[in-house]
Amino acid sequence: MSDEYDVLLRDGGIAHVRRLRPTDRGALHELVDRSSERSAYLRFFTAGRGTAHAYIDAITSEGYEGRARVACLHGRLVAVAEYVPSGEGRADLGVLLDDAVHGHGLGTLLLEHVAVDAAEHGVRELVADVLAENRPMIRVLRDLGLNVTQRFEDGTLHISVTAEPTPRLLAAIEARDHEAGRASLARVLAPRSVAVIGASRDEHGIGHKVLRNLIDGGFCGPIHPVNPNATEIAGLACHATVPHGVDLAVVAVPARQVPQVARDCADAGVAGLVVLSSGFAETGRREAESELLALCRTAGMRLIGPNCLGVINTGAWLNASFLPHRPVRGRVALLSQSGAVGAALLDRLEVSSFVSVGNKADVSGNDLLEYWEEDDDTSVIALYLESFGNPRKFARIARRVGKSKPVLMVKSGRGQAGGRAVRSHTAAAATPDVAVDALARAAGVIRLDSVSELIDTATLLAAQPLPAGRRVAIVGNSGGPQAMAADACERHGLLVPELPVRLPDARAAAALGNPVDLTADATAAEIGAAVEALAASPDADAILVVYTPPFGDGVEATRQAIADAAKRAAKTVLACVVGYDGLIDGRVPSYAFPEQAVVALSRAVRYAEWRRRPIEPVPVPPPADEKGARQIVRAELEARPDGGWLSPAGAARLLACYGVTLVESIDVDGAESAAAAATSLGLPSVLKATGPVHKSEVGGVRLDLRTPDDVRRAYHDMAARLGAQMTGAIVQRMQPAGVEIIVGGVNYPRFGPLVMIGMGGVMADLLADHAFRVPPVIDATTMIDELRCAPLLHGYRGSPPADVPALADQIARIGRLLEDLPQVAELDLNPVIVTSAGTATVDARIRLAPCDQPPSPLLRRLR
């Protein structure tokens, strides 16, 4: 685990957790002195504090054999938790908390972190002796989420906790993390009072604009302009410094003044800062931004920005931004990392709240997902992101949130290649953008290609019920645009079935068929009646109305008729009023062009299908020798600190730790040793050069060598052709024919691992037939079936079906390897020959790169 990090507590406060240091002795003795005698007795079973002080001396001495973590709140050390190995996979557990932080969830959080750390260091059982009267500690241990056993003896409970993380622990950690995340933002996004620091009389100044928006927006709580050079601004009394007890401070002062403002806010007990000021990381001043974040974290304040537009909460009548227009209240919660994009989205969307995160130094999409998940005013969450802070945490939260509220995302930077050279087939295909696609798919996030698609889709999802299926009834007054809509439905996987239903009060041309063309003379009433009839039909899941003005009764009458019909419809209704965008009567999304409407509907249909699927449990990871694998990686990186490609033997050893066995190979360094190896393994044989990356492209692979002489000649010929780039060769026995598949993976430092499968062999790059997943891979069989070559595995044209379960098992094992070992930068198993008898992994390439061990995905922490 990382040596130090910040965590959120149950009440929304921020604690700093790090490893115990010998220099903490004085602060720990002060902690003991602050503890009540009752607390000391419950922890150490003796009256007085002498035993507690002796304990502090012991854990800060040079001979201390345990592992401990301390927690600091507002800069003061307030807790310590430790485990001391006692042999045979067991360890003694202890925790001491400041009386002032009882009930904040800090003890539970420290025990979570200690338990995970213990498991990572081979401890299987944590043991604690607890007095029977110490009910809070007993309850914490029981509710932790780990398997607990206990026995009672002489007034003491001997509690044994299994250190191995369980699904129950993960669920408990997520629930506690969610509670803490919401609490930390409650006073920021729904404040009781707001201070504007840097407010001025200049109507063109940012601070004045924020103050004016707060007043004009109708914010009900106290508003405090802060400016030492004024006594009154906009009719409000001005303060020289921020008053005590303010929930939210909006900061609009030059960047150089912001750190002191943050200190003043910390002293005043402010809950959160929105820093509008620019001049931080976006201009290269990363240290200044880090200083600001550290000030906020130490004080327990959340930070939005810097370099942002502000925040809006229409339900709380809060417009703490400097935008020129008043937001319209709606059901969409909006985050934007770009100020310009955020302003454009606010012009087109009706929002419940809006957060411009700017440089995203602290509050991120993950935090806001936690808050908006239970926000009664929000039914759709829309995100414009330029970067991820913690992608794997985002995926876990978004997957959960998405089961009740759609999460839409536009992520910029689709064309980036990752900023580094890659040499494996997998890394060439699995770009960072492909990784984002895989993450979004796994989490049920609706990833969109443009801001306009975000607006279109969010409007539909916020205004209409989810479609129950893919069947679309198209009705309107003009055949051409309706035909365009039908074509678009086919392109986007929607169905336009025949509809054998008569439409009351509609003209004869509408009796049968789909699209239903009411002709240009159709009145508004006829169009409305057709919508109602189609909505009542069991053969349609959504109704798309296509109206071309100015025919019939005109735009306004027809729009009203569509809206009135939609009120009585229990199905998804949307419209294309050609040339017009926007909501009709606040409930029916309307689009200027048919394709626009169909794209938005197709996104809603796919999201509805994902949401209806049962939540798949995270599978039990396949067994692995994780400790042995880490030793191999550590030894390789000690020998080559910059990393590099493993030797074939090294790759085989590492894969064997995860139950992936390569076809038996023998390294050879000449024609005679190659012939001897072929005789030993059995003929026919395969000879492969070592050294070249893509051997087949340079003549570095010879197949079906049937005699030792064939092997000798092949070696001489290969060595003459390749010259110095051939550093040796390996010999394998020729494998039976089967379907050649590639299984691979990459680890991006900022993103994490990604698993790929595809058509293998020499076709790996040519056909670009790939499927990707973020591990753990919970649907390997589905992943396989996404390949265009999948029919070859299921018995194509009379061939025997291949062993797909064996291939799925191998994918799961590679997924675990990539999760456990972030130092594995690139991995190719190519080809993996899949037959009815199983899989044979013929060749493997693994590249290591130095990488800090990422934090356990189980643990709660900011970022």
Side-chain angles (χ1 to χ4, degrees):
M1 290 193 292
S2 175
D3 278 340
E4 46 188 308
Y5 41 84
D6 296 307
V7 294
L8 286 175
L9 303 180
R10 181 182 299 145
D11 63 354
I14 300 174
H16 185 72
V17 177
R18 58 171 173 78
R19 294 204 185 281
L20 174 70
R21 302 167 186 160
T23 54
D24 291 324
R25 177 174 294 186
L28 286 169
H29 280 301
E30 290 177 7
L31 169 60
V32 170
D33 288 335
R34 292 196 306 270
S35 302
S36 66
E37 290 194 7
R38 173 69 175 168
S39 294
Y41 168 69
L42 291 176
R43 171 65 180 87
F44 298 103
F45 300 10
T46 60
R49 298 186 179 87
T51 302
H53 283 297
Y55 163 75
I56 297 305
D57 288 337
I59 67 173
T60 54
S61 67
E62 288 187 7
Y64 176 61
E65 296 180 351
R67 293 174 64 86
R69 290 193 167 266
V70 298
C72 301
L73 198 61
H74 301 296
R76 184 163 76 169
L77 197 153
V78 294
V80 57
E82 59 145 359
Y83 68 92
V84 181
S86 56
E88 298 181 351
R90 302 178 74 207
D92 296 321
L93 178 66
V95 60
L96 176 64
L97 298 180
D98 190 317
D99 290 4
V101 300
H102 286 182
H104 291 203
L106 184 55
T108 300
L109 188 142
L110 280 177
L111 288 173
E112 289 171 1
H113 288 236
V114 165
V116 171
D117 185 76
E120 290 178 352
H121 287 85
V123 174
R124 298 185 303 276
E125 181 184 11
L126 294 166
V127 179
D129 290 336
V130 184
L131 289 173
E133 59 194 284
N134 192 354
R135 292 185 182 89
M137 186 63 181
I138 295 170
R139 185 169 55 252
V140 165
L141 289 170
R142 286 176 176 169
D143 294 345
L144 194 58
L146 294 170
N147 296 324
V148 175
T149 58
Q150 62 186 50
R151 62 183 175 84
F152 186 74
E153 183 179 329
D154 297 330
T156 301
L157 275 177
H158 302 279
I159 299 178
S160 173
V161 180
T162 303
E164 184 67 29
T166 65
R168 192 163 62 93
L169 174 65
L170 179 58
I173 287 175
E174 286 200 355
R176 292 189 280 259
D177 203 15
H178 172 65
E179 180 184 3
R182 274 193 58 79
S184 77
L185 290 179
R187 291 173 59 195
V188 180
L189 297 183
R192 294 164 298 184
S193 57
V194 181
V196 181
I197 304 173
S200 71
R201 295 189 185 92
D202 179 4
E203 294 183 358
H204 301 290
I206 288 176
H208 186 92
K209 291 177 180 178
V210 174
L211 189 64
R212 194 75 257 170
N213 279 344
L214 284 166
I215 296 169
D216 295 344
F219 181 68
C220 300
I223 303 171
H224 305 287
V226 178
N227 186 331
N229 302 313
T231 57
E232 178 269 334
I233 299 176
L236 299 175
C238 207
H239 302 262
T241 60
V242 63
H244 279 266
V246 167
D247 282 344
L248 176 64
V250 182
V251 181
V253 301
R256 67 182 181 278
Q257 298 175 18
V258 171
Q260 184 57 50
V261 167
R263 294 185 189 96
D264 294 341
C265 289
D267 293 340
V270 171
L273 300 187
V274 174
V275 178
L276 310 179
S277 318
S278 59
F280 291 90
E282 82 282 0
T283 61
R285 298 182 66 239
R286 298 188 181 279
E287 291 184 2
E289 187 164 300
S290 297
E291 177 192 3
L292 173 62
L293 178 60
L295 286 168
C296 291
R297 291 277 174 86
T298 300
M301 298 186 296
R302 297 310 305 266
L303 168 64
I304 294 176
N307 185 37
C308 70
L309 298 179
V311 298
I312 293 170
N313 183 344
T314 57
W317 301 98
L318 173 77
N319 184 356
S321 77
F322 60 92
L323 291 164
H325 51 269
R326 181 174 295 185
V328 179
R329 186 172 184 180
R331 305 287 302 172
V332 179
L334 173 63
L335 171 152
S336 179
Q337 203 169 345
S338 160
V341 171
L345 286 166
L346 275 177
D347 266 340
R348 298 286 305 280
L349 287 174
E350 298 179 358
V351 299
S352 58
S353 54
F354 164 68
V355 178
S356 168
V357 293
N359 292 359
K360 210 169 58 167
D362 177 25
V363 172
S364 68
N366 294 350
D367 299 297
L368 291 164
L369 284 175
E370 298 277 20
Y371 182 82
W372 285 328
E373 180 178 9
E374 293 183 26
D375 179 27
D376 293 336
D377 291 332
T378 295
S379 57
V380 177
I381 298 169
L383 311 173
Y384 177 84
L385 297 175
E386 295 171 353
S387 63
F388 284 108
N390 186 333
R392 296 175 71 188
K393 184 175 182 180
F394 172 84
R396 292 200 310 275
I397 299 171
R399 184 183 297 115
R400 185 188 73 234
V401 174
K403 286 298 180 179
S404 59
K405 297 180 181 181
V407 179
L408 285 63
M409 177 180 71
V410 173
K411 167 69 171 62
S412 61
R414 275 193 178 273
Q416 295 174 1
R420 62 183 177 86
V422 296
R423 300 177 68 193
S424 66
H425 296 287
T426 302
T431 64
D433 189 65
V434 167
V436 174
D437 275 338
L439 178 145
R441 176 189 178 125
V445 171
I446 305 170
R447 188 178 186 191
L448 302 153
D449 292 325
S450 66
V451 171
S452 61
E453 281 191 19
L454 179 69
I455 294 167
D456 291 345
T457 309
T459 302
L460 172 60
L461 289 168
Q464 287 290 308
L466 290 175
R470 292 179 170 243
R471 300 169 302 171
V472 184
I474 302 172
V475 60
N477 72 338
S478 49
Q482 288 175 257
M484 292 166 62
D487 290 344
C489 285
E490 183 177 350
R491 287 197 304 274
H492 291 278
L494 303 181
L495 306 175
V496 186
E498 289 290 321
L499 298 172
V501 12
R502 296 197 64 84
L503 304 180
D505 301 323
R507 43 197 72 237
L512 294 173
N514 189 16
V516 179
D517 184 5
L518 302 178
T519 75
D521 295 332
T523 66
E526 288 172 333
I527 291 174
V531 172
E532 289 193 53
L534 291 169
S537 168
D539 300 306
D541 301 306
I543 295 88
L544 171 56
V545 188
V546 181
Y547 169 70
T548 303
F551 304 108
D553 292 334
V555 172
E556 292 307 317
T558 304
R559 281 164 55 96
Q560 190 59 52
I562 294 169
D564 292 341
K567 289 180 189 176
R568 297 181 284 273
K571 292 180 180 175
T572 309
V573 178
L574 68 164
C576 166
V577 178
V578 177
Y580 292 83
D581 266 324
L583 275 173
I584 301 175
D585 200 29
R587 66 173 54 86
V588 179
S590 177
Y591 304 93
F593 302 102
E595 296 87 350
Q596 259 183 286
V598 171
V599 168
L601 180 60
S602 69
R603 304 287 192 181
V605 165
R606 286 196 288 274
Y607 166 71
E609 291 173 345
W610 175 85
R611 185 157 147 177
R612 285 192 292 267
R613 292 180 207 151
I615 297 177
E616 298 181 75
V618 176
V620 176
D625 178 11
E626 184 180 343
K627 183 177 179 181
R630 292 191 188 283
Q631 289 174 343
I632 292 172
V633 169
R634 190 179 303 114
E636 290 283 348
L637 289 176
E638 285 175 355
R640 292 184 293 167
D642 292 334
W645 294 96
L646 292 180
S647 67
R653 287 197 307 274
L654 186 58
L655 290 167
C657 293
Y658 288 85
V660 177
T661 304
L662 296 180
V663 170
E664 186 177 1
S665 304
I666 296 178
D667 292 325
V668 297
D669 57 5
E672 291 305 319
S673 61
T679 303
S680 173
L681 291 172
L683 295 163
S685 293
V686 177
L687 178 70
K688 300 177 182 178
T690 54
V693 176
H694 300 307
K695 295 179 281 292
S696 59
E697 294 180 4
V698 294
V701 179
R702 293 290 299 273
L703 305 176
D704 203 24
L705 303 172
R706 296 189 168 272
T707 67
D709 283 340
D710 289 343
V711 176
R712 290 187 187 93
R713 283 192 295 271
Y715 191 98
H716 285 303
D717 179 61
M718 195 177 290
R721 182 182 301 110
L722 299 181
Q725 66 175 314
M726 180 174 170
T727 59
I730 61 171
V731 174
Q732 297 172 335
R733 185 167 186 175
M734 187 75 182
Q735 297 299 304
V739 182
E740 293 191 358
I741 296 292
I742 181 173
V743 178
V746 292
N747 250 313
Y748 290 108
R750 292 288 297 167
F751 188 90
L754 186 68
V755 179
M756 184 194 85
I757 61 166
M759 189 72 179
V762 296
M763 301 296 181
D765 294 326
L766 177 65
L767 298 182
D769 185 9
H770 306 129
F772 301 90
R773 289 293 188 276
V774 175
V777 181
I778 60 178
D779 59 344
T781 301
T782 303
M783 185 182 180
I784 293 167
D785 287 341
E786 290 173 10
L787 298 175
R788 297 194 301 276
C789 68
L792 299 176
L793 294 164
H794 295 296
Y796 185 68
R797 293 194 173 181
S799 62
D803 191 346
V804 172
L807 177 59
D809 177 71
Q810 186 151 327
I811 293 167
R813 292 177 184 277
I814 293 302
R816 175 166 184 187
L817 182 153
L818 291 164
E819 278 200 291
D820 290 347
L821 306 173
Q823 299 87 353
V824 175
E826 303 177 51
L827 178 151
D828 273 352
L829 309 184
N830 183 37
V832 177
I833 300 176
V834 190
T835 67
S836 58
T839 62
T841 303
V842 175
D843 201 1
R845 290 183 54 78
I846 298 176
R847 185 175 72 83
L848 301 183
C851 173
D852 291 334
Q853 183 71 26
S856 168
L858 286 172
L859 295 181
R860 291 188 274 160
R861 63 186 69 201
L862 284 165
R863 294 291 183 183

